[in-house]
Amino acid sequence: MSNALLELYRHHLWANLRLLDHVATLDPKLLEATATGTFGQVDATLKHIIANEEGYLMHLGSPVTEALLFHVHEFPGFPELRKRAEVTGAKLIELAGAVQAEDSLSGTFQGQPYTMPRVVPLMQAINHGTEHRAHVITVLSQQGIPPIALDAWTFWEQGMGR
């Protein structure tokens, strides 16, 4: 894939880490906050983002070491979540650079066989992360916490895209 597309995955990793670092500085009671129309509690949403990235990597045949977040019910803590976000983000960047549009992926999901383009889980990672980061920002905004900028302009302004 093109270098331009790789920047999308670099932004994705940056946004995940920036949000995790931001929330880690807030009152821990805010981890239990939620709002109608969002995924749920802040802690559950953050874990959900990274756990699903681990799942996408498993589907792509590039599992991370012990993708346990699906099975861990409690919040694993910011250091663990950040470590996992760094690993999944780096792997997604690596795969985005290697996967070709015509590459396919086959397997079984919920007892049903499937074949799909390998790029679909890569697209889903971006869409899913963006959606749930917005949920966290919405929940925190409703708790009086000013929104953190995770947009591409801020990524660029901070020199991350260069």
Side-chain angles (χ1 to χ4, degrees):
M1 295 208 181
S2 75
N3 287 338
L5 191 54
L6 292 178
E7 287 303 308
L8 183 62
Y9 289 90
R10 289 185 186 106
H11 169 265
H12 174 76
L13 171 58
W14 170 85
N16 280 345
L17 296 176
R18 184 169 160 91
L19 182 61
L20 287 169
D21 292 346
H22 173 68
V23 177
T25 68
L26 302 176
D27 182 341
K29 292 179 186 172
L30 290 171
L31 291 176
E32 298 175 8
T34 190
T36 301
T38 65
F39 177 80
Q41 290 185 187
V42 170
D43 58 355
T45 306
L46 293 171
K47 187 182 84 143
H48 176 77
I49 293 168
I50 307 309
N52 277 276
E53 288 191 5
E54 291 177 339
Y56 304 143
L57 290 170
M58 288 187 327
H59 285 297
L60 288 163
S62 186
V64 295
T65 58
E66 298 187 50
L68 298 176
L69 285 180
F70 281 121
H71 309 292
V72 174
H73 296 290
E74 68 278 349
F75 186 70
F78 287 103
E80 178 67 17
L81 208 53
R82 191 179 205 290
K83 179 179 81 174
R84 288 175 178 272
E86 289 171 344
V87 170
T88 59
K91 281 286 211 183
L92 287 168
I93 291 166
E94 177 186 322
L95 287 172
V99 170
Q100 300 298 311
E102 64 274 3
D103 293 347
S104 65
L105 172 65
S106 298
T108 304
F109 182 72
Q110 296 180 345
Q112 298 295 315
Y114 67 87
T115 299
M116 72 173 81
R118 284 180 60 91
V119 73
V120 171
L122 289 171
M123 291 187 308
Q124 178 60 18
I126 297 293
N127 181 64
H128 183 262
T130 301
E131 178 180 3
H132 289 305
R133 287 189 301 265
H135 287 176
V136 170
I137 291 169
T138 297
V139 171
L140 294 175
S141 298
Q142 292 186 4
Q143 300 298 313
I145 305 300
I148 183 173
L150 301 177
D151 58 276
W153 301 118
T154 303
F155 177 71
W156 174 75
E157 287 169 354
Q158 291 189 355
M160 304 306 292
R162 294 180 234 146

